[in-house]
Amino acid sequence: DGGITQSPKYLFRKEGQNVTLSCEQNLNHDAMYWYRQDPGQGLRLIYYSQIVNDFQKGDIAEGYSVSREKKESFPLTVTSAQKNPTAFYLCASSIGQDEKLFFGSGTQLSVL
Amino acid sequence: GESVGLHLPTLSVQEGDNSIINCAYSNSASDYFIWYKQESGKGPQFIIDIRSNMDKRQGQRVTVLLNKTVKHLSLQIAATQPGDSAVYFCAENRNGGFKTIFGAGTRLFVKA
């Protein structure tokens, strides 16, 4: 089955710790995205990548970092600089620009 | 179409009735609009899309209407079923780019 796989489903972070969320896709899509969703709210764009070895900041990139070394993979690191990391994180991909998004099942990050 | 807070607008309909979910978008430069459905604890799923050169598009049991004059988008669901209970997001894409902006969402309850 083609799709997007996010792991883990639940993740806990201690104070001062960096954590990395995994996102893998086998849809052969060029573009990949990370969104953050807070309870009862819409999705906000953290980072996106148009192509391998390229990525751009979204609207709320502070405290996050990404890499795109392979077409299939777009991991997100939540750094200790992100003071309010508790949220539901969604990875998505698309064929290209101006196209619909395909989402993974999300990772719920909480702070211990 | 930006996130507006913790309290989602809610629509409650009787099973078998038609549902209409409305959305106001913010930017007249937006030219691609998408509706997504999100069930609890899952990632959003694509429902239907429309480009700005159209004012109506139909899918299976769903219709999207676009009124560019008043920057309004609506999703109509025919013969609403319990499985349609979810949060529905409208989203807009601007100038053919990679940034998709999500609205705050509407929660649909279907009463049996």
mmCIF file of all heavy atoms in Angstrom, chain A residues 9 31 33 35 37 39-43 45 48 50 57-59 88 90 96-101 103-105, chain B residues 3 5-8 31-32 34 36 38 41-44 46 51 89 93 96-104:
data_model
loop_
_atom_site.group_PDB
_atom_site.id
_atom_site.type_symbol
_atom_site.label_atom_id
_atom_site.label_comp_id
_atom_site.label_asym_id
_atom_site.label_seq_id
_atom_site.Cartn_x
_atom_site.Cartn_y
_atom_site.Cartn_z
ATOM 1 N N LYS A 9 3.837 6.918 17.273
ATOM 2 C CA LYS A 9 2.507 7.506 17.372
ATOM 3 C C LYS A 9 2.427 8.447 18.576
ATOM 4 O O LYS A 9 1.764 9.467 18.523
ATOM 5 C CB LYS A 9 1.449 6.416 17.500
ATOM 6 C CG LYS A 9 0.027 6.945 17.554
ATOM 7 C CD LYS A 9 -0.857 6.196 16.579
ATOM 8 C CE LYS A 9 -2.273 6.758 16.598
ATOM 9 N NZ LYS A 9 -2.445 7.830 15.623
ATOM 10 N N ALA A 31 7.407 16.649 -2.986
ATOM 11 C CA ALA A 31 7.252 17.617 -1.899
ATOM 12 C C ALA A 31 6.797 16.947 -0.607
ATOM 13 O O ALA A 31 5.957 16.044 -0.622
ATOM 14 C CB ALA A 31 6.241 18.686 -2.303
ATOM 15 N N TYR A 33 6.010 17.876 3.815
ATOM 16 C CA TYR A 33 5.638 18.978 4.713
ATOM 17 C C TYR A 33 5.551 18.478 6.151
ATOM 18 O O TYR A 33 5.229 17.309 6.392
ATOM 19 C CB TYR A 33 4.251 19.516 4.339
ATOM 20 C CG TYR A 33 4.054 19.823 2.878
ATOM 21 C CD1 TYR A 33 3.796 18.814 1.960
ATOM 22 C CD2 TYR A 33 4.098 21.134 2.422
ATOM 23 C CE1 TYR A 33 3.601 19.095 0.609
ATOM 24 C CE2 TYR A 33 3.899 21.433 1.075
ATOM 25 C CZ TYR A 33 3.655 20.404 0.181
ATOM 26 O OH TYR A 33 3.458 20.689 -1.155
ATOM 27 N N TYR A 35 3.352 19.777 9.573
ATOM 28 C CA TYR A 35 2.369 20.674 10.167
ATOM 29 C C TYR A 35 2.248 20.387 11.662
ATOM 30 O O TYR A 35 2.429 19.243 12.111
ATOM 31 C CB TYR A 35 0.987 20.477 9.529
ATOM 32 C CG TYR A 35 0.827 21.109 8.180
ATOM 33 C CD1 TYR A 35 1.173 20.414 7.021
ATOM 34 C CD2 TYR A 35 0.322 22.400 8.054
ATOM 35 C CE1 TYR A 35 1.021 20.998 5.772
ATOM 36 C CE2 TYR A 35 0.160 22.989 6.806
ATOM 37 C CZ TYR A 35 0.512 22.280 5.672
ATOM 38 O OH TYR A 35 0.347 22.866 4.435
ATOM 39 N N GLN A 37 -0.548 20.745 14.849
ATOM 40 C CA GLN A 37 -1.966 20.954 15.149
ATOM 41 C C GLN A 37 -2.147 21.006 16.663
ATOM 42 O O GLN A 37 -1.811 20.063 17.373
ATOM 43 C CB GLN A 37 -2.826 19.840 14.550
ATOM 44 C CG GLN A 37 -4.318 20.079 14.713
ATOM 45 C CD GLN A 37 -5.162 19.043 14.016
ATOM 46 O OE1 GLN A 37 -4.760 17.892 13.871
ATOM 47 N NE2 GLN A 37 -6.341 19.432 13.561
ATOM 48 N N PRO A 39 -4.907 21.541 19.951
ATOM 49 C CA PRO A 39 -6.305 21.114 20.157
ATOM 50 C C PRO A 39 -7.318 22.138 19.678
ATOM 51 O O PRO A 39 -7.235 23.310 20.022
ATOM 52 C CB PRO A 39 -6.374 20.920 21.673
ATOM 53 C CG PRO A 39 -4.985 20.598 22.083
ATOM 54 C CD PRO A 39 -4.102 21.410 21.181
ATOM 55 N N GLY A 40 -8.273 21.682 18.887
ATOM 56 C CA GLY A 40 -9.351 22.538 18.420
ATOM 57 C C GLY A 40 -8.934 23.586 17.410
ATOM 58 O O GLY A 40 -9.664 24.543 17.172
ATOM 59 N N GLN A 41 -7.771 23.402 16.811
ATOM 60 C CA GLN A 41 -7.294 24.395 15.861
ATOM 61 C C GLN A 41 -6.941 23.765 14.523
ATOM 62 O O GLN A 41 -6.869 22.541 14.384
ATOM 63 C CB GLN A 41 -6.072 25.117 16.436
ATOM 64 C CG GLN A 41 -6.379 25.924 17.677
ATOM 65 C CD GLN A 41 -5.242 26.829 18.061
ATOM 66 O OE1 GLN A 41 -4.534 27.349 17.207
ATOM 67 N NE2 GLN A 41 -5.063 27.037 19.350
ATOM 68 N N GLY A 42 -6.702 24.626 13.571
ATOM 69 C CA GLY A 42 -6.269 24.166 12.258
ATOM 70 C C GLY A 42 -4.799 23.802 12.259
ATOM 71 O O GLY A 42 -4.133 23.794 13.294
ATOM 72 N N LEU A 43 -4.290 23.497 11.090
ATOM 73 C CA LEU A 43 -2.899 23.072 10.936
ATOM 74 C C LEU A 43 -2.031 24.275 10.581
ATOM 75 O O LEU A 43 -2.411 25.105 9.752
ATOM 76 C CB LEU A 43 -2.799 22.029 9.817
ATOM 77 C CG LEU A 43 -3.264 20.607 10.123
ATOM 78 C CD1 LEU A 43 -4.748 20.530 10.398
ATOM 79 C CD2 LEU A 43 -2.893 19.684 8.976
ATOM 80 N N LEU A 45 1.896 25.383 9.275
ATOM 81 C CA LEU A 45 3.039 24.847 8.543
ATOM 82 C C LEU A 45 4.350 25.153 9.265
ATOM 83 O O LEU A 45 4.652 26.310 9.552
ATOM 84 C CB LEU A 45 3.063 25.426 7.125
ATOM 85 C CG LEU A 45 4.159 24.925 6.194
ATOM 86 C CD1 LEU A 45 4.015 23.432 5.921
ATOM 87 C CD2 LEU A 45 4.133 25.713 4.882
ATOM 88 N N TYR A 48 8.666 22.880 4.896
ATOM 89 C CA TYR A 48 8.350 22.077 3.737
ATOM 90 C C TYR A 48 9.590 21.905 2.866
ATOM 91 O O TYR A 48 10.535 22.690 2.958
ATOM 92 C CB TYR A 48 7.182 22.660 2.935
ATOM 93 C CG TYR A 48 7.438 23.994 2.268
ATOM 94 C CD1 TYR A 48 7.815 24.070 0.933
ATOM 95 C CD2 TYR A 48 7.252 25.178 2.977
ATOM 96 C CE1 TYR A 48 8.013 25.300 0.325
ATOM 97 C CE2 TYR A 48 7.461 26.409 2.376
ATOM 98 C CZ TYR A 48 7.836 26.469 1.052
ATOM 99 O OH TYR A 48 8.039 27.693 0.450
ATOM 100 N N GLN A 50 10.604 21.006 -1.180
ATOM 101 C CA GLN A 50 10.150 20.836 -2.564
ATOM 102 C C GLN A 50 10.843 19.668 -3.243
ATOM 103 O O GLN A 50 10.293 19.058 -4.155
ATOM 104 C CB GLN A 50 10.432 22.108 -3.365
ATOM 105 C CG GLN A 50 9.780 23.351 -2.806
ATOM 106 C CD GLN A 50 10.178 24.594 -3.570
ATOM 107 O OE1 GLN A 50 10.392 24.549 -4.775
ATOM 108 N NE2 GLN A 50 10.274 25.722 -2.887
ATOM 109 N N LYS A 57 11.443 27.263 5.440
ATOM 110 C CA LYS A 57 10.688 27.514 6.660
ATOM 111 C C LYS A 57 9.236 27.810 6.334
ATOM 112 O O LYS A 57 8.936 28.488 5.347
ATOM 113 C CB LYS A 57 11.286 28.690 7.417
ATOM 114 C CG LYS A 57 12.660 28.413 8.012
ATOM 115 C CD LYS A 57 13.161 29.609 8.789
ATOM 116 C CE LYS A 57 14.525 29.319 9.393
ATOM 117 N NZ LYS A 57 15.052 30.478 10.162
ATOM 118 N N GLY A 58 8.364 27.318 7.188
ATOM 119 C CA GLY A 58 6.964 27.669 7.102
ATOM 120 C C GLY A 58 6.666 28.826 8.041
ATOM 121 O O GLY A 58 7.525 29.670 8.306
ATOM 122 N N ASP A 59 5.467 28.828 8.589
ATOM 123 C CA ASP A 59 5.030 29.948 9.416
ATOM 124 C C ASP A 59 5.502 29.877 10.864
ATOM 125 O O ASP A 59 5.532 30.893 11.555
ATOM 126 C CB ASP A 59 3.498 30.034 9.386
ATOM 127 C CG ASP A 59 2.974 30.252 7.978
ATOM 128 O OD1 ASP A 59 3.580 31.058 7.238
ATOM 129 O OD2 ASP A 59 1.986 29.604 7.599
ATOM 130 N N PHE A 88 0.022 17.851 18.200
ATOM 131 C CA PHE A 88 -0.108 16.726 17.269
ATOM 132 C C PHE A 88 0.624 17.137 16.000
ATOM 133 O O PHE A 88 0.323 18.179 15.418
ATOM 134 C CB PHE A 88 -1.603 16.484 17.017
ATOM 135 C CG PHE A 88 -1.938 15.221 16.284
ATOM 136 C CD1 PHE A 88 -1.429 14.001 16.694
ATOM 137 C CD2 PHE A 88 -2.812 15.238 15.205
ATOM 138 C CE1 PHE A 88 -1.757 12.817 16.033
ATOM 139 C CE2 PHE A 88 -3.151 14.068 14.537
ATOM 140 C CZ PHE A 88 -2.631 12.859 14.949
ATOM 141 N N LEU A 90 1.850 16.456 12.146
ATOM 142 C CA LEU A 90 1.410 15.771 10.933
ATOM 143 C C LEU A 90 2.405 15.984 9.799
ATOM 144 O O LEU A 90 2.799 17.105 9.512
ATOM 145 C CB LEU A 90 0.037 16.289 10.506
ATOM 146 C CG LEU A 90 -1.111 15.842 11.411
ATOM 147 C CD1 LEU A 90 -2.281 16.788 11.308
ATOM 148 C CD2 LEU A 90 -1.537 14.427 11.044
ATOM 149 N N GLY A 96 3.516 17.802 -6.240
ATOM 150 C CA GLY A 96 4.271 19.015 -6.502
ATOM 151 C C GLY A 96 3.570 20.192 -5.883
ATOM 152 O O GLY A 96 2.756 20.028 -4.966
ATOM 153 N N GLN A 97 3.838 21.369 -6.394
ATOM 154 C CA GLN A 97 3.209 22.560 -5.835
ATOM 155 C C GLN A 97 1.758 22.649 -6.296
ATOM 156 O O GLN A 97 1.382 22.090 -7.319
ATOM 157 C CB GLN A 97 3.971 23.804 -6.247
ATOM 158 C CG GLN A 97 3.980 24.081 -7.743
ATOM 159 C CD GLN A 97 4.936 25.204 -8.076
ATOM 160 O OE1 GLN A 97 6.116 25.132 -7.771
ATOM 161 N NE2 GLN A 97 4.419 26.241 -8.688
ATOM 162 N N ASP A 98 0.960 23.335 -5.501
ATOM 163 C CA ASP A 98 -0.432 23.584 -5.867
ATOM 164 C C ASP A 98 -1.209 22.288 -6.096
ATOM 165 O O ASP A 98 -2.027 22.175 -7.009
ATOM 166 C CB ASP A 98 -0.472 24.446 -7.147
ATOM 167 C CG ASP A 98 -1.766 25.204 -7.276
ATOM 168 O OD1 ASP A 98 -2.396 25.486 -6.248
ATOM 169 O OD2 ASP A 98 -2.158 25.511 -8.430
ATOM 170 N N GLU A 99 -0.928 21.306 -5.243
ATOM 171 C CA GLU A 99 -1.603 20.011 -5.331
ATOM 172 C C GLU A 99 -2.092 19.587 -3.955
ATOM 173 O O GLU A 99 -1.603 20.064 -2.931
ATOM 174 C CB GLU A 99 -0.657 18.937 -5.872
ATOM 175 C CG GLU A 99 -0.237 19.133 -7.320
ATOM 176 C CD GLU A 99 -1.365 18.861 -8.302
ATOM 177 O OE1 GLU A 99 -2.348 18.202 -7.906
ATOM 178 O OE2 GLU A 99 -1.255 19.323 -9.454
ATOM 179 N N LYS A 100 -3.046 18.645 -3.934
ATOM 180 C CA LYS A 100 -3.571 18.180 -2.661
ATOM 181 C C LYS A 100 -2.504 17.450 -1.858
ATOM 182 O O LYS A 100 -1.540 16.921 -2.421
ATOM 183 C CB LYS A 100 -4.756 17.260 -2.907
ATOM 184 C CG LYS A 100 -4.411 15.984 -3.639
ATOM 185 C CD LYS A 100 -5.687 15.241 -4.031
ATOM 186 C CE LYS A 100 -5.327 14.002 -4.837
ATOM 187 N NZ LYS A 100 -6.502 13.460 -5.548
ATOM 188 N N LEU A 101 -2.713 17.465 -0.537
ATOM 189 C CA LEU A 101 -1.771 16.847 0.386
ATOM 190 C C LEU A 101 -2.263 15.473 0.813
ATOM 191 O O LEU A 101 -3.453 15.254 1.001
ATOM 192 C CB LEU A 101 -1.604 17.730 1.629
ATOM 193 C CG LEU A 101 -1.125 19.169 1.378
ATOM 194 C CD1 LEU A 101 -1.114 19.949 2.687
ATOM 195 C CD2 LEU A 101 0.248 19.181 0.745
ATOM 196 N N PHE A 103 -1.673 12.902 3.954
ATOM 197 C CA PHE A 103 -1.176 12.993 5.322
ATOM 198 C C PHE A 103 -0.871 11.622 5.919
ATOM 199 O O PHE A 103 -1.518 10.613 5.589
ATOM 200 C CB PHE A 103 -2.207 13.674 6.219
ATOM 201 C CG PHE A 103 -2.266 15.158 6.045
ATOM 202 C CD1 PHE A 103 -3.117 15.728 5.111
ATOM 203 C CD2 PHE A 103 -1.473 15.993 6.810
ATOM 204 C CE1 PHE A 103 -3.178 17.098 4.939
ATOM 205 C CE2 PHE A 103 -1.522 17.375 6.655
ATOM 206 C CZ PHE A 103 -2.374 17.917 5.712
ATOM 207 N N GLY A 104 0.083 11.622 6.851
ATOM 208 C CA GLY A 104 0.309 10.474 7.702
ATOM 209 C C GLY A 104 -0.683 10.484 8.857
ATOM 210 O O GLY A 104 -1.547 11.362 8.947
ATOM 211 N N SER A 105 -0.522 9.530 9.765
ATOM 212 C CA SER A 105 -1.479 9.381 10.864
ATOM 213 C C SER A 105 -1.103 10.197 12.093
ATOM 214 O O SER A 105 -1.827 10.185 13.082
ATOM 215 C CB SER A 105 -1.624 7.903 11.230
ATOM 216 O OG SER A 105 -0.357 7.367 11.506
ATOM 217 N N SER B 3 -6.558 29.947 11.667
ATOM 218 C CA SER B 3 -7.020 29.364 12.923
ATOM 219 C C SER B 3 -7.526 30.458 13.838
ATOM 220 O O SER B 3 -6.910 31.508 13.975
ATOM 221 C CB SER B 3 -5.869 28.624 13.593
ATOM 222 O OG SER B 3 -5.417 27.584 12.780
ATOM 223 N N GLY B 5 -9.009 29.756 17.197
ATOM 224 C CA GLY B 5 -9.136 29.519 18.628
ATOM 225 C C GLY B 5 -9.506 28.098 18.946
ATOM 226 O O GLY B 5 -9.522 27.217 18.099
ATOM 227 N N LEU B 6 -9.808 27.855 20.248
ATOM 228 C CA LEU B 6 -9.970 26.507 20.728
ATOM 229 C C LEU B 6 -11.353 25.930 20.474
ATOM 230 O O LEU B 6 -11.536 24.735 20.568
ATOM 231 C CB LEU B 6 -9.675 26.460 22.230
ATOM 232 C CG LEU B 6 -8.234 26.721 22.623
ATOM 233 C CD1 LEU B 6 -8.095 26.767 24.134
ATOM 234 C CD2 LEU B 6 -7.315 25.660 22.050
ATOM 235 N N HIS B 7 -12.353 26.761 20.238
ATOM 236 C CA HIS B 7 -13.707 26.271 20.140
ATOM 237 C C HIS B 7 -14.107 26.157 18.685
ATOM 238 O O HIS B 7 -14.361 27.153 18.013
ATOM 239 C CB HIS B 7 -14.654 27.204 20.903
ATOM 240 C CG HIS B 7 -14.283 27.333 22.345
ATOM 241 N ND1 HIS B 7 -14.459 26.308 23.236
ATOM 242 C CD2 HIS B 7 -13.721 28.343 23.033
ATOM 243 C CE1 HIS B 7 -14.022 26.697 24.426
ATOM 244 N NE2 HIS B 7 -13.571 27.913 24.334
ATOM 245 N N LEU B 8 -14.199 24.899 18.229
ATOM 246 C CA LEU B 8 -14.557 24.668 16.851
ATOM 247 C C LEU B 8 -16.030 24.956 16.644
ATOM 248 O O LEU B 8 -16.865 24.542 17.449
ATOM 249 C CB LEU B 8 -14.292 23.209 16.483
ATOM 250 C CG LEU B 8 -12.848 22.773 16.277
ATOM 251 C CD1 LEU B 8 -12.820 21.289 16.028
ATOM 252 C CD2 LEU B 8 -12.207 23.528 15.140
ATOM 253 N N ASP B 31 -5.968 30.436 -5.356
ATOM 254 C CA ASP B 31 -6.539 29.926 -6.603
ATOM 255 C C ASP B 31 -6.822 28.434 -6.573
ATOM 256 O O ASP B 31 -7.248 27.859 -7.579
ATOM 257 C CB ASP B 31 -5.605 30.258 -7.777
ATOM 258 C CG ASP B 31 -4.183 29.770 -7.535
ATOM 259 O OD1 ASP B 31 -3.957 29.036 -6.555
ATOM 260 O OD2 ASP B 31 -3.296 30.136 -8.334
ATOM 261 N N TYR B 32 -6.587 27.819 -5.437
ATOM 262 C CA TYR B 32 -6.841 26.374 -5.327
ATOM 263 C C TYR B 32 -7.362 26.128 -3.929
ATOM 264 O O TYR B 32 -6.756 26.567 -2.949
ATOM 265 C CB TYR B 32 -5.545 25.612 -5.597
ATOM 266 C CG TYR B 32 -5.635 24.112 -5.444
ATOM 267 C CD1 TYR B 32 -6.627 23.369 -6.089
ATOM 268 C CD2 TYR B 32 -4.701 23.426 -4.680
ATOM 269 C CE1 TYR B 32 -6.696 21.998 -5.961
ATOM 270 C CE2 TYR B 32 -4.760 22.044 -4.548
ATOM 271 C CZ TYR B 32 -5.758 21.337 -5.186
ATOM 272 O OH TYR B 32 -5.824 19.972 -5.067
ATOM 273 N N ILE B 34 -9.258 23.283 -1.127
ATOM 274 C CA ILE B 34 -9.385 21.855 -0.849
ATOM 275 C C ILE B 34 -10.183 21.663 0.445
ATOM 276 O O ILE B 34 -10.030 22.439 1.388
ATOM 277 C CB ILE B 34 -7.990 21.198 -0.646
ATOM 278 C CG1 ILE B 34 -6.973 21.683 -1.674
ATOM 279 C CG2 ILE B 34 -8.111 19.677 -0.689
ATOM 280 C CD1 ILE B 34 -6.008 22.709 -1.145
ATOM 281 N N TYR B 36 -10.723 18.881 3.521
ATOM 282 C CA TYR B 36 -10.191 17.688 4.149
ATOM 283 C C TYR B 36 -11.120 17.270 5.295
ATOM 284 O O TYR B 36 -11.733 18.107 5.947
ATOM 285 C CB TYR B 36 -8.793 17.943 4.738
ATOM 286 C CG TYR B 36 -7.718 18.186 3.708
ATOM 287 C CD1 TYR B 36 -7.402 19.472 3.292
ATOM 288 C CD2 TYR B 36 -7.007 17.124 3.155
ATOM 289 C CE1 TYR B 36 -6.408 19.704 2.351
ATOM 290 C CE2 TYR B 36 -6.009 17.353 2.213
ATOM 291 C CZ TYR B 36 -5.722 18.650 1.813
ATOM 292 O OH TYR B 36 -4.744 18.869 0.883
ATOM 293 N N GLN B 38 -11.028 15.103 8.939
ATOM 294 C CA GLN B 38 -10.135 14.536 9.940
ATOM 295 C C GLN B 38 -10.940 13.842 11.030
ATOM 296 O O GLN B 38 -11.714 14.475 11.744
ATOM 297 C CB GLN B 38 -9.238 15.611 10.556
ATOM 298 C CG GLN B 38 -8.184 15.039 11.495
ATOM 299 C CD GLN B 38 -7.262 16.082 12.076
ATOM 300 O OE1 GLN B 38 -7.649 17.242 12.238
ATOM 301 N NE2 GLN B 38 -6.037 15.695 12.389
ATOM 302 N N GLY B 41 -7.795 11.574 16.175
ATOM 303 C CA GLY B 41 -6.523 10.871 16.301
ATOM 304 C C GLY B 41 -5.879 10.465 14.988
ATOM 305 O O GLY B 41 -4.880 9.736 14.984
ATOM 306 N N LYS B 42 -6.427 10.945 13.885
ATOM 307 C CA LYS B 42 -5.892 10.574 12.571
ATOM 308 C C LYS B 42 -5.468 11.814 11.787
ATOM 309 O O LYS B 42 -5.782 12.938 12.153
ATOM 310 C CB LYS B 42 -6.942 9.799 11.773
ATOM 311 C CG LYS B 42 -7.348 8.482 12.394
ATOM 312 C CD LYS B 42 -8.331 7.756 11.494
ATOM 313 C CE LYS B 42 -8.728 6.421 12.092
ATOM 314 N NZ LYS B 42 -9.701 5.701 11.230
ATOM 315 N N GLY B 43 -4.770 11.583 10.692
ATOM 316 C CA GLY B 43 -4.417 12.677 9.807
ATOM 317 C C GLY B 43 -5.578 13.043 8.900
ATOM 318 O O GLY B 43 -6.471 12.234 8.655
ATOM 319 N N PRO B 44 -5.596 14.279 8.395
ATOM 320 C CA PRO B 44 -6.670 14.689 7.472
ATOM 321 C C PRO B 44 -6.646 13.877 6.180
ATOM 322 O O PRO B 44 -5.581 13.465 5.711
ATOM 323 C CB PRO B 44 -6.339 16.160 7.198
ATOM 324 C CG PRO B 44 -5.489 16.604 8.339
ATOM 325 C CD PRO B 44 -4.708 15.394 8.726
ATOM 326 N N PHE B 46 -8.091 13.880 2.126
ATOM 327 C CA PHE B 46 -8.634 14.679 1.028
ATOM 328 C C PHE B 46 -10.070 14.258 0.718
ATOM 329 O O PHE B 46 -10.386 13.067 0.663
ATOM 330 C CB PHE B 46 -7.751 14.488 -0.207
ATOM 331 C CG PHE B 46 -8.340 15.034 -1.471
ATOM 332 C CD1 PHE B 46 -8.207 16.374 -1.784
ATOM 333 C CD2 PHE B 46 -9.013 14.203 -2.353
ATOM 334 C CE1 PHE B 46 -8.734 16.875 -2.958
ATOM 335 C CE2 PHE B 46 -9.549 14.698 -3.527
ATOM 336 C CZ PHE B 46 -9.416 16.032 -3.829
ATOM 337 N N ARG B 51 -10.593 24.525 -8.330
ATOM 338 C CA ARG B 51 -9.688 25.618 -8.721
ATOM 339 C C ARG B 51 -10.521 26.860 -9.018
ATOM 340 O O ARG B 51 -11.726 26.779 -9.246
ATOM 341 C CB ARG B 51 -8.846 25.200 -9.918
ATOM 342 C CG ARG B 51 -8.002 23.971 -9.576
ATOM 343 C CD ARG B 51 -6.691 23.851 -10.294
ATOM 344 N NE ARG B 51 -5.977 22.646 -9.857
ATOM 345 C CZ ARG B 51 -4.922 22.675 -9.064
ATOM 346 N NH1 ARG B 51 -4.442 23.812 -8.623
ATOM 347 N NH2 ARG B 51 -4.332 21.542 -8.695
ATOM 348 N N PHE B 89 -11.984 20.551 7.399
ATOM 349 C CA PHE B 89 -11.157 21.741 7.196
ATOM 350 C C PHE B 89 -11.231 22.187 5.745
ATOM 351 O O PHE B 89 -11.107 21.366 4.830
ATOM 352 C CB PHE B 89 -9.685 21.436 7.491
ATOM 353 C CG PHE B 89 -9.382 21.175 8.932
ATOM 354 C CD1 PHE B 89 -9.258 19.885 9.404
ATOM 355 C CD2 PHE B 89 -9.205 22.234 9.816
ATOM 356 C CE1 PHE B 89 -8.974 19.640 10.739
ATOM 357 C CE2 PHE B 89 -8.916 21.997 11.159
ATOM 358 C CZ PHE B 89 -8.803 20.699 11.607
ATOM 359 N N ASN B 93 -4.685 27.424 -1.271
ATOM 360 C CA ASN B 93 -3.315 27.476 -1.754
ATOM 361 C C ASN B 93 -3.164 28.743 -2.576
ATOM 362 O O ASN B 93 -4.011 29.041 -3.412
ATOM 363 C CB ASN B 93 -3.008 26.234 -2.592
ATOM 364 C CG ASN B 93 -1.545 26.124 -2.915
ATOM 365 O OD1 ASN B 93 -1.022 26.897 -3.702
ATOM 366 N ND2 ASN B 93 -0.873 25.172 -2.303
ATOM 367 N N GLY B 96 -0.211 29.244 -6.648
ATOM 368 C CA GLY B 96 0.414 28.035 -7.162
ATOM 369 C C GLY B 96 1.651 27.593 -6.417
ATOM 370 O O GLY B 96 2.488 26.899 -6.950
ATOM 371 N N GLY B 97 1.769 27.983 -5.146
ATOM 372 C CA GLY B 97 2.956 27.636 -4.392
ATOM 373 C C GLY B 97 2.799 26.373 -3.568
ATOM 374 O O GLY B 97 1.892 25.582 -3.771
ATOM 375 N N PHE B 98 3.696 26.211 -2.607
ATOM 376 C CA PHE B 98 3.708 25.031 -1.762
ATOM 377 C C PHE B 98 2.988 25.249 -0.442
ATOM 378 O O PHE B 98 2.808 24.319 0.326
ATOM 379 C CB PHE B 98 5.146 24.600 -1.479
ATOM 380 C CG PHE B 98 5.818 23.963 -2.666
ATOM 381 C CD1 PHE B 98 6.522 24.737 -3.569
ATOM 382 C CD2 PHE B 98 5.733 22.607 -2.872
ATOM 383 C CE1 PHE B 98 7.138 24.152 -4.669
ATOM 384 C CE2 PHE B 98 6.344 22.008 -3.961
ATOM 385 C CZ PHE B 98 7.042 22.795 -4.866
ATOM 386 N N LYS B 99 2.602 26.471 -0.130
ATOM 387 C CA LYS B 99 1.981 26.738 1.173
ATOM 388 C C LYS B 99 0.482 26.569 1.099
ATOM 389 O O LYS B 99 -0.200 27.310 0.392
ATOM 390 C CB LYS B 99 2.316 28.158 1.627
ATOM 391 C CG LYS B 99 3.726 28.349 2.138
ATOM 392 C CD LYS B 99 3.847 29.683 2.848
ATOM 393 C CE LYS B 99 5.213 29.841 3.491
ATOM 394 N NZ LYS B 99 5.299 31.100 4.265
ATOM 395 N N THR B 100 -0.026 25.605 1.844
ATOM 396 C CA THR B 100 -1.461 25.422 1.983
ATOM 397 C C THR B 100 -1.873 25.962 3.338
ATOM 398 O O THR B 100 -1.320 25.568 4.362
ATOM 399 C CB THR B 100 -1.832 23.942 1.864
ATOM 400 O OG1 THR B 100 -1.433 23.458 0.579
ATOM 401 C CG2 THR B 100 -3.333 23.758 2.027
ATOM 402 N N ILE B 101 -2.843 26.869 3.359
ATOM 403 C CA ILE B 101 -3.307 27.497 4.594
ATOM 404 C C ILE B 101 -4.626 26.855 4.995
ATOM 405 O O ILE B 101 -5.569 26.806 4.191
ATOM 406 C CB ILE B 101 -3.513 29.011 4.399
ATOM 407 C CG1 ILE B 101 -2.258 29.666 3.804
ATOM 408 C CG2 ILE B 101 -3.913 29.666 5.722
ATOM 409 C CD1 ILE B 101 -1.036 29.551 4.663
ATOM 410 N N PHE B 102 -4.693 26.396 6.258
ATOM 411 C CA PHE B 102 -5.876 25.703 6.743
ATOM 412 C C PHE B 102 -6.748 26.621 7.589
ATOM 413 O O PHE B 102 -6.242 27.432 8.369
ATOM 414 C CB PHE B 102 -5.461 24.490 7.599
ATOM 415 C CG PHE B 102 -4.989 23.331 6.796
ATOM 416 C CD1 PHE B 102 -3.713 23.307 6.267
ATOM 417 C CD2 PHE B 102 -5.825 22.252 6.566
ATOM 418 C CE1 PHE B 102 -3.265 22.236 5.508
ATOM 419 C CE2 PHE B 102 -5.390 21.173 5.814
ATOM 420 C CZ PHE B 102 -4.113 21.163 5.279
ATOM 421 N N GLY B 103 -8.052 26.447 7.461
ATOM 422 C CA GLY B 103 -8.987 27.098 8.360
ATOM 423 C C GLY B 103 -9.034 26.357 9.681
ATOM 424 O O GLY B 103 -8.391 25.325 9.866
ATOM 425 N N ALA B 104 -9.845 26.884 10.606
ATOM 426 C CA ALA B 104 -9.907 26.328 11.962
ATOM 427 C C ALA B 104 -10.672 25.025 12.027
ATOM 428 O O ALA B 104 -10.505 24.251 12.971
ATOM 429 C CB ALA B 104 -10.533 27.346 12.907
#
